[in-house]
Amino acid sequence: MKQEKELIFNGEFEDSEEEDDDQSQDQESDEELNKKKKKKSLQNTNKNLIMNVSDTQYPVVKFVGKMIYKFKLQYVPYQEVNNWDFCWTDNAVLPETLAKMQSHQKINHFPGMYSLARKNHLGKNLNKMQKQFPDDYDFYPRTWMLPSEYNDFKQQFGKAKTFILKPEASCQGKGIFLTRSIESVNPTEHYVAQRYIHKPLLIDGLKFDLRMYVLICGCDPLRIYLYKEGLARFATQAYIVPNTNNLDDVCMHLTNYAINKDNPNFIFNSDEKKMDVGHKRSMSSVFQLLRDQNQNVDQLLEDIKDLIIKTFCSVQPILQQHYTQVDNYANNMCFEILGFDILIDSSLKPYLLEVNHTPSFTTDTPLDQYIKKNLIADTITLMNINLKTKNEVILQKKDEMQRRVLTGKKTKLSNEEKKQIKLQCQRQRDEYESQNKGNYDLIYPCSKTYEEYLQHSLKLYEEWTGANIRRNQKKESVQLSQEPQIKSQSQPKKIILERKSTLYKHVQSRINTNLFPTSKNEQNKGDEIIQEGEEQPPNQIDTIPEADNDNFFPYEDYQQQSLESIKDLCSYTEKRGRELQILDLIQYRKADNRLNNSHIQQQNVQSILSPLSSIKGVLQGIAIKNVKQFAIRKNNKNVKSSSKQMNESEHDKQQENSSKNQIIPSQQIYSQGNAQGMNGAYLKPKVFSLKLSHPPKGYKLQSLPLLIQQNYTKFRYE
């Protein structure tokens, strides 16, 4: 492999197989091409791995895959086929693409990396972390997102301050400008504004920054490598502190290669062995120059590594959420080479300027060809992309499928088993990468702990997505479900009527279980009177079927409670007085036909009738205030004249007056002030409607089938 890595790349590469494929595609029909694509997508019979390069424009990527690693290059769009083993793309990857991938496949981007690559997202995430850790997150210039933070940004002007404004999503220095006046900033355009670092470190009187290549090859947990070699990009004009006269000189203040390469002063590097010459140099040559100047380069590198790790900590929950491969315990299906742009000030403090999710792999100089070729080759080696690893993963999946076919069930692993598998894969990965990391340096995990930053980043992400609200709701529901169980073990059961559906069942159960009986003396008197008679009358209300003991509680359980609990229950029934009056109405109609038999029956009816009236007897008329009168109107569609209606109403009133005389004494007092009688005494048994005289706002009277299905079948309620 070392001999193959020494192959010279001159910046150009043409694949002969690509030309053959193009010629064959021109000759074949569309149907034959579609059939071939389907066959290729189903199986890969090649002995060599397939590298999909359909979405990359850099020849160095194709050169490394074809010439160094002997991959078979594939030019069909990777979204259309699924038989590739390794995909290199210049664009972002969606979570849907990752979800369709197989376990042995690898791709060179993480979904959700926009949280770092977009300047506005990077600024927002770092600002959130800086609010909690102001001293630890001071490695980037103060940043404002425009136009949302325009007012705050406007207040920064006044003194001799210089700001640099960048478009939200741009590259190669496009659209960047410096300003010292708020009038030059359009308040409606989207920019990322930063405080300009006016005292940068200079070499040969020129401003420069570092392009450092960082490899992230795992997001759960984080796994970060720093490449030991990079690029130092120099400006082409001698640096002068910004003033009103030189703000427009971009070749003095900006170090972007795309801007300065067109300047006539730009010196290109023509020999890869001379990396310290020109306006684009190697990073190692700059560090060696600083060491020669007795600068503490080792501390500078430690600060840069700390800066990189903290930057990833601010977005780790976002990357983990977008990484949808739940069965990938090795955490190795995605990797990404990021370009960190680092500016060093005169005190040797590093500042993060921006992060590039697709750093340029153009190779127009020998220095670029040497560094970028080795960077890509070391990355493929470190990610363990080879045929042996692929076959091991495929065999493992086949074994799992055979077990599933034999058992008929998919094996579900517990959390402990998953942790053990992850740890085992991690140990195997550590052992391999320690021997094959090439020019990479593992910077995380490390001896220093960053758990504090990761936890706060997770908290911010949950607040942003609302995950903490759902978690709190689950905790509250669990606590509420546990509280009744604890109370039921220590205290007697109480009935809580919170729903209307349970109210009606409870009202019927109070009749069936005799929830509000009269005193014992009155019961004994009634029993003596019944014993003096020859036979008990057949039309007793006691024939109501008994309630289910599993759903309702008898009154004897409540007699053991204090009088205060009874008053609370009675005050609650006052709020439910309208539903109880419906019960009074039906109970009165039941008793109305039986009151004419004997005076003994009236006493029995009096002992069982109306739970609401019994409550009023206990509390000495407290519930009378909230009792609402029913105005029951007769719906008669066949009335031909108003005179007939008057006659019928007079006839009904006479019947009402005759029935009032038979009402029990406890109800006569209440019926004296009501011209229509007690709960609609002139009700007819066929079809009628119920309405409240003064219904409360938003109140709708619902049907009560449990209460009336044994007596009347054609009732209509409104």
Side-chain angles (χ1 to χ4, degrees):
M1 184 64 68
K2 291 182 179 179
Q3 294 178 358
E4 293 175 350
K5 281 187 179 181
E6 294 176 357
L7 292 174
I8 299 175
F9 175 65
N10 57 5
E12 296 179 358
F13 176 75
E14 293 182 0
D15 188 11
S16 59
E17 294 183 3
E18 182 182 6
E19 296 178 356
D20 296 339
D21 292 341
D22 294 339
Q23 293 177 0
S24 61
Q25 287 179 6
D26 294 337
Q27 297 175 0
E28 294 177 355
S29 62
D30 295 337
E31 294 181 358
E32 294 177 352
L33 288 174
N34 292 331
K35 290 180 180 179
K36 283 189 174 183
K37 286 182 180 179
K38 289 182 180 179
K39 290 181 180 180
K40 288 182 179 181
S41 62
L42 293 175
Q43 59 182 357
N44 176 18
T45 57
N46 296 314
K47 295 182 180 180
N48 296 334
L49 296 179
I50 296 179
M51 179 179 180
N52 191 294
V53 292
S54 61
D55 197 25
T56 181
Q57 61 178 343
Y58 300 114
V60 64
V61 176
K62 302 174 184 179
F63 175 82
V64 172
K66 180 73 174 180
M67 304 304 296
I68 297 179
Y69 289 95
K70 308 301 180 182
F71 292 153
K72 177 178 175 57
L73 302 185
Q74 186 183 64
Y75 297 92
V76 182
Y78 69 92
Q79 298 93 342
E80 299 180 5
V81 293
N82 198 30
N83 65 331
W84 47 266
D85 303 301
F86 170 43
C87 178
W88 191 287
T89 175
D90 298 339
N91 298 310
V93 175
L94 299 176
E96 292 80 5
T97 302
L98 183 61
K100 296 177 183 178
M101 290 171 53
Q102 301 178 16
S103 300
H104 69 277
Q105 293 178 321
K106 291 179 174 59
I107 196 165
N108 69 321
H109 282 290
F110 274 92
M113 194 55 73
Y114 63 87
S115 56
L116 280 183
R118 291 284 296 266
K119 298 179 180 64
N120 55 339
H121 287 277
L122 176 63
K124 289 177 182 178
N125 293 323
L126 293 179
N127 285 342
K128 290 178 182 179
M129 297 295 289
Q130 190 184 41
K131 290 180 180 179
Q132 182 68 21
F133 309 103
D135 297 333
D136 297 333
Y137 277 80
D138 61 344
F139 52 79
Y140 70 102
R142 190 176 177 183
T143 307
W144 296 267
M145 267 59 67
L146 305 181
S148 59
E149 298 178 355
Y150 179 80
N151 293 331
D152 187 17
F153 177 66
K154 184 178 180 180
Q155 296 177 0
Q156 305 301 320
F157 290 87
K159 297 182 180 179
K161 296 181 180 179
T162 305
F163 298 90
I164 182 170
L165 277 76
K166 308 174 184 178
E168 287 183 350
S170 66
C171 59
Q172 298 180 350
K174 298 176 183 178
I176 300 177
F177 65 94
L178 275 67
T179 182
R180 306 184 83 178
S181 175
I182 190 62
E183 285 100 12
S184 61
V185 180
N186 190 343
T188 60
E189 293 185 0
H190 291 263
Y191 282 102
V192 175
Q194 289 183 329
R195 181 72 187 276
Y196 185 79
I197 301 174
H198 62 284
K199 292 183 179 181
L201 181 66
L202 303 179
I203 294 179
D204 299 335
L206 301 175
K207 180 181 177 181
F208 72 96
D209 70 347
L210 300 177
R211 166 61 61 87
M212 306 187 74
Y213 296 104
V214 179
L215 174 66
I216 174 173
C217 52
C219 63
D220 185 24
L222 279 176
R223 195 167 186 85
I224 308 170
Y225 282 89
L226 175 63
Y227 201 63
K228 295 179 182 179
E229 191 58 277
L231 296 173
R233 305 173 301 180
F234 287 78
T236 53
Q237 295 289 342
Y239 179 78
I240 302 175
V241 177
N243 52 59
T244 56
N245 297 325
N246 62 6
L247 290 178
D248 296 333
D249 194 348
V250 293
C251 293
M252 177 189 297
H253 301 291
L254 302 183
T255 59
N256 300 77
Y257 173 72
I259 294 175
N260 287 278
K261 69 178 182 178
D262 297 330
N263 191 295
N265 298 330
F266 190 88
I267 300 175
F268 288 89
N269 179 280
S270 58
D271 188 359
E272 64 179 22
K273 296 181 180 179
K274 297 180 179 180
M275 299 184 181
D276 56 349
V277 178
H279 288 88
K280 181 189 284 188
R281 308 177 188 179
S282 66
M283 184 177 66
S284 58
S285 65
V286 172
F287 286 157
Q288 184 61 42
L289 179 62
L290 294 177
R291 287 191 177 94
D292 296 340
Q293 297 176 359
N294 296 325
Q295 300 284 356
N296 192 353
V297 178
D298 294 336
Q299 182 62 41
L300 174 63
L301 286 173
E302 290 297 324
D303 294 340
I304 292 174
K305 293 177 182 178
D306 183 69
L307 174 156
I308 294 170
I309 297 171
K310 289 178 180 177
T311 302
F312 279 109
C313 288
S314 64
V315 299
Q316 189 272 338
I318 301 175
L319 299 178
Q320 181 180 350
Q321 182 66 25
H322 285 80
Y323 193 78
T324 55
Q325 283 290 349
V326 293
D327 295 335
N328 181 231
Y329 302 114
N331 190 28
N332 62 350
M333 289 183 64
C334 293
F335 67 94
E336 189 159 357
I337 300 175
L338 299 170
F340 276 67
D341 292 343
I342 307 296
L343 179 69
I344 305 172
D345 67 358
S346 58
S347 62
L348 218 66
K349 179 180 179 179
Y351 285 91
L352 175 64
L353 299 181
E354 61 183 40
V355 179
N356 298 273
H357 80 103
T358 305
S360 175
F361 285 104
T362 54
T363 54
D364 52 356
T365 64
L367 179 65
D368 289 315
Q369 297 169 8
Y370 174 77
I371 293 176
K372 296 176 181 179
K373 181 196 71 174
N374 292 332
L375 170 65
I376 297 172
D378 289 343
T379 302
I380 296 175
T381 302
L382 185 64
M383 292 306 300
N384 197 11
I385 303 175
N386 54 60
L387 190 61
K388 180 181 178 182
T389 305
K390 172 190 173 181
N391 293 332
E392 290 177 356
V393 175
I394 292 176
L395 289 175
Q396 185 179 1
K397 287 294 180 182
K398 286 184 179 179
D399 294 339
E400 292 179 0
M401 291 297 295
Q402 290 178 357
R403 293 173 190 171
R404 186 174 181 180
V405 171
L406 294 175
T407 59
K409 296 181 180 179
K410 185 179 180 180
T411 56
K412 294 183 179 180
L413 301 176
S414 62
N415 293 330
E416 295 181 357
E417 292 176 344
K418 291 179 181 179
K419 289 181 180 179
Q420 292 178 358
I421 294 174
K422 286 183 179 180
L423 291 175
Q424 182 180 0
C425 294
Q426 194 67 38
R427 286 193 294 267
Q428 295 176 357
R429 187 173 183 178
D430 292 339
E431 182 179 357
Y432 172 82
E433 291 179 355
S434 62
Q435 300 175 0
N436 298 275
K437 59 184 179 180
N439 207 22
Y440 273 109
D441 184 17
L442 179 65
I443 63 175
Y444 189 85
C446 59
S447 58
K448 185 178 178 180
T449 177
Y450 291 86
E451 190 66 24
E452 184 180 9
Y453 310 117
L454 291 171
Q455 291 297 329
H456 184 68
S457 178
L458 178 61
K459 180 182 176 182
L460 293 174
Y461 179 75
E462 290 177 349
E463 291 177 354
W464 178 57
T465 57
N468 58 338
I469 298 175
R470 294 191 292 270
R471 185 182 295 107
N472 294 334
Q473 289 177 351
K474 289 182 180 179
K475 289 181 180 179
E476 290 177 358
S477 62
V478 171
Q479 292 176 358
L480 291 174
S481 62
Q482 293 177 354
E483 286 179 358
Q485 297 178 359
I486 298 172
K487 291 183 179 179
S488 61
Q489 296 177 0
S490 60
Q491 297 179 359
K493 296 180 179 179
K494 294 183 180 180
I495 295 177
I496 301 176
L497 304 178
E498 295 180 352
R499 299 180 181 176
K500 291 183 179 180
S501 60
T502 59
L503 174 68
Y504 302 133
K505 294 182 180 180
H506 180 60
V507 169
Q508 180 66 37
S509 69
R510 293 190 335 198
I511 305 168
N512 297 339
T513 57
N514 198 9
L515 185 59
F516 293 98
T518 56
S519 62
K520 293 182 179 181
N521 295 331
E522 294 178 358
Q523 288 181 357
N524 295 332
K525 290 179 182 179
D527 294 339
E528 292 175 0
I529 296 171
I530 293 172
Q531 290 176 3
E532 291 177 0
E534 294 180 355
E535 293 181 357
Q536 188 173 1
N539 296 328
Q540 288 278 345
I541 301 180
D542 295 335
T543 59
I544 299 173
E546 295 182 357
D548 188 3
N549 294 328
D550 296 335
N551 298 327
F552 308 106
F553 301 97
Y555 180 68
E556 286 74 7
D557 294 341
Y558 293 95
Q559 286 180 335
Q560 299 177 1
Q561 299 178 8
S562 61
L563 182 60
E564 295 180 357
S565 61
I566 296 176
K567 290 182 178 181
D568 295 336
L569 181 61
C570 295
S571 61
Y572 189 82
T573 56
E574 291 180 14
K575 301 178 182 178
R576 300 290 185 178
R578 300 173 188 85
E579 288 84 353
L580 296 177
Q581 283 185 9
I582 298 171
L583 182 62
D584 287 342
L585 171 66
I586 298 170
Q587 286 296 100
Y588 182 76
R589 294 302 300 157
K590 290 179 183 179
D592 190 19
N593 296 328
R594 301 167 186 169
L595 287 174
N596 297 325
N597 294 332
S598 64
H599 181 69
I600 299 173
Q601 294 180 3
Q602 292 181 0
Q603 293 181 354
N604 293 332
V605 171
Q606 183 179 358
S607 63
I608 302 173
L609 193 63
S610 184
L612 185 60
S613 61
S614 301
I615 295 171
K616 290 187 291 185
V618 175
L619 296 179
Q620 298 178 357
I622 296 176
I624 299 176
K625 299 178 181 179
N626 295 325
V627 175
K628 296 293 183 180
Q629 176 185 358
F630 281 100
I632 304 172
R633 299 183 303 175
K634 178 181 62 175
N635 294 332
N636 191 354
K637 298 181 180 180
N638 298 323
V639 177
K640 297 181 180 180
S641 63
S642 61
S643 60
K644 291 182 179 181
Q645 293 178 359
M646 295 296 294
N647 293 332
E648 288 179 359
S649 62
E650 291 177 358
H651 181 67
D652 292 337
K653 287 182 180 179
Q654 291 177 2
Q655 291 181 355
E656 177 186 357
N657 294 330
S658 62
S659 62
K660 281 183 180 180
N661 297 327
Q662 299 176 356
I663 296 176
I664 55 178
S666 62
Q667 294 177 343
Q668 288 179 357
I669 300 172
Y670 177 77
S671 62
Q672 288 177 0
N674 300 321
Q676 295 181 352
M678 180 61 184
N679 289 336
Y682 55 89
L683 177 67
K684 287 191 175 183
K686 291 185 179 180
V687 179
F688 66 93
S689 299
L690 295 182
K691 283 190 177 181
L692 291 175
S693 299
H694 303 285
K697 186 177 180 180
Y699 176 77
K700 292 183 179 180
L701 187 62
Q702 299 182 2
S703 60
L704 306 175
L706 294 176
L707 302 179
I708 55 87
Q709 62 183 356
Q710 298 177 357
N711 300 301
Y712 307 109
T713 58
K714 295 183 179 180
F715 286 1
R716 182 174 74 251
Y717 290 83
E718 295 180 356

